[in-house]
């Protein structure tokens, strides 16, 4: 595991807070989930491109 620092705007901080409240976690967990979901999407898109080459 690594620690990272994230600089966010006020609007993003507000939205992270809302997502954390909905999830029952904290902002760090929300960022972690968003990054993991995005990586899954990118890997799936990469597989689709490779199939059609």
């Amino acid at each position: 595991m690594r620690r990272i620092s994230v600089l966010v705007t006020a609007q993003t901080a507000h939205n992270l807070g809302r997502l954390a409240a909905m999830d029952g976690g904290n902002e760090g967990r929300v960022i972690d989930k968003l990054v993991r979901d995005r990586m899954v999407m990118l890997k799936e898109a990469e597989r689709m491109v490779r199939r059609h080459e």
Side-chain angles (χ1 to χ4, degrees):
M1 288 185 50
R2 294 183 183 183
R3 259 180 211 266
I4 62 168
S5 296
V6 179
L7 180 64
V8 296
T9 64
Q11 181 178 0
T12 304
H14 175 72
N15 290 335
L16 279 174
R18 288 177 53 203
L19 289 169
M22 289 170 40
D23 190 45
N26 62 26
E27 288 89 355
R29 290 190 188 270
V30 170
I31 291 171
D32 186 49
K33 285 182 179 184
L34 291 170
V35 170
R36 277 188 274 130
D37 288 347
R38 181 64 178 176
M39 289 306 298
V40 168
M41 287 174 42
L42 289 171
K43 286 180 183 181
E44 288 174 0
E46 191 175 80
R47 286 185 193 129
M48 294 292 286
V49 168
R50 285 186 183 162
R51 284 186 198 156
H52 295 315
E53 286 182 344

